[in-house]
Amino acid sequence: MQLAGKVALVTGAASGIGKRIAEEYARNGAAVVIADLNIEGASAAAKEIGEGGGKAIGVAMDVTDEAAVDGGVAEAVGKFGRVDILVSNAGIQIVKPVEEFSLAEWRKMLAIHLDGAFLTTRACLRDMYARGEGGAIIYMGSVHSHLASKLKAPYCTAKHGLLGLARVVAKEGGPKGVRANVICPGFVRTPLVEKQIPEQAKTFGISEDEVVRTIMLKDTVDTEFTTVDDVAHLALFLAAFESNALTGQSITVSHGWHMQ
Ligand code: NAD
């Protein structure tokens, strides 16, 4: 019960990594706001948590939409009174060579990953600062916050950008007790990654098994995928950490693919 009495808002929590973080937070006593574009998925995830004895609500939120973010955070505060923890996690992936990206695709990627992180941070910081009790902000970066891979120009650009945002929020928020950190996972078998396997097989002219072995897991220490549990445990650790001693950092959870 490391998060008893806390309220956490997790974006993109109808699926994958965010869903598992929401479950882990609820299991540790937090009231959780599952904010997602997919409101049916968000409501279903909240219902599951409720059936397991936890406290959660689903909130419709497009993280690229200023009014939707401000409205969703207001709804969260209206329901649970506060937001202590933000996990800015919503994300998508589009893979193709730089010269084939349309400007619209590029902008969509940066809007979800960077505008979304900014807008949710701003809305939650306003609540945290007004209450004066601090908080924790966690960004879902990636190994691609530190490394590059072919076909992932906007993704790598956005994930690198989150490091800068987290460091500024750590500096500005520090005196007010708000910590900001970035989680950098390796490949996790969520819908986001399942979609990439056939796409990369086609682009590189190799089998799906080769994509997994020779691209995705090539540099891990044990040819293993990172799991949603691995990421959720780190997200719990960061949310529960009690002082500014751990802020402005990025922590990689990737089976040794990237060692900082
Ligand atoms: P996922 O596809 O399982 O879940 C992503 C969720 O984000 C979905 O529920 C989707 O509806 C939601 N979403 C998409 N656009 C949104 C928007 N505009 N507003 C609100 N919600 C939106 O993906 P995942 O693998 O769980 O990814 C979650 C995060 O983890 C992403 O930021 C991703 O970049 C990051 N990440 C994933 C991996 C991986 O290997 N899966 C590795 C490193 C980082």
Side-chain angles (χ1 to χ4, degrees):
M1 284 292 175
Q2 295 179 63
L3 302 180
K6 302 284 185 195
V7 178
L9 187 145
V10 187
T11 68
S15 171
I17 292 171
K19 182 166 190 267
R20 184 66 192 85
I21 291 173
E23 288 163 3
E24 190 65 16
Y25 282 3
R27 219 168 53 183
N28 278 274
V32 183
V33 180
I34 296 179
D36 205 291
L37 200 54
N38 170 3
I39 184 58
E40 288 82 21
S43 302
K47 189 161 171 262
E48 266 177 49
I49 287 175
E51 286 165 358
K55 218 189 275 181
I57 56 166
V59 165
M61 184 190 287
D62 177 349
V63 297
T64 69
D65 179 330
E66 186 174 17
V69 171
D70 289 347
V73 172
E75 196 178 331
V77 173
K79 175 78 184 171
F80 293 128
R82 54 200 287 144
V83 176
D84 303 285
I85 301 154
L86 164 67
V87 183
S88 171
N89 165 81
I92 62 162
Q93 179 60 283
I94 304 175
V95 288
K96 55 179 68 172
V98 172
E99 70 277 14
E100 291 178 17
F101 268 100
S102 67
L103 181 56
E105 288 168 329
W106 170 267
R107 284 186 173 149
K108 182 176 180 185
M109 287 291 289
L110 297 199
I112 294 174
H113 291 274
L114 289 180
D115 296 359
F118 161 67
L119 290 171
T120 51
T121 298
R122 189 182 65 178
C124 291
L125 274 182
R126 285 174 176 165
D127 173 68
M128 291 172 185
Y129 288 170
R131 280 184 299 98
E133 292 172 35
I137 297 187
I138 297 166
Y139 298 100
M140 197 52 62
S142 163
V143 160
H144 288 109
S145 296
H146 296 279
L147 300 181
S149 289
K150 289 176 181 172
L151 313 182
K152 296 189 175 174
Y155 189 79
C156 290
T157 302
K159 294 299 191 189
H160 275 63
L162 290 176
L163 299 178
L165 177 60
R167 290 168 184 155
V168 173
V169 173
K171 289 203 171 198
E172 291 183 3
K176 293 166 180 152
V178 176
R179 293 171 290 105
N181 292 290
V182 185
I183 296 178
C184 298
F187 281 103
V188 183
R189 282 202 96 136
T190 64
L192 179 139
V193 160
E194 295 296 349
K195 182 171 163 282
Q196 286 172 59
I197 298 173
E199 286 173 358
Q200 295 211 10
K202 193 166 162 225
T203 305
F204 292 120
I206 57 179
S207 71
E208 293 189 12
D209 182 53
E210 282 172 306
V211 171
V212 170
R213 278 187 301 101
T214 67
I215 299 177
M216 292 184 164
L217 304 181
K218 176 170 78 70
D219 294 319
T220 60
V221 296
D222 52 10
T223 337
E224 296 271 347
F225 278 98
T226 300
T227 67
V228 289
D229 286 355
D230 296 328
V231 183
H233 293 152
L234 178 55
L236 174 62
F237 173 77
L238 287 173
F241 200 87
E242 282 179 358
S243 80
N244 281 339
L246 181 49
T247 195
Q249 305 303 309
S250 69
I251 303 184
T252 300
V253 53
S254 72
H255 283 258
W257 168 14
H258 177 58
M259 300 186 189
Q260 295 187 53

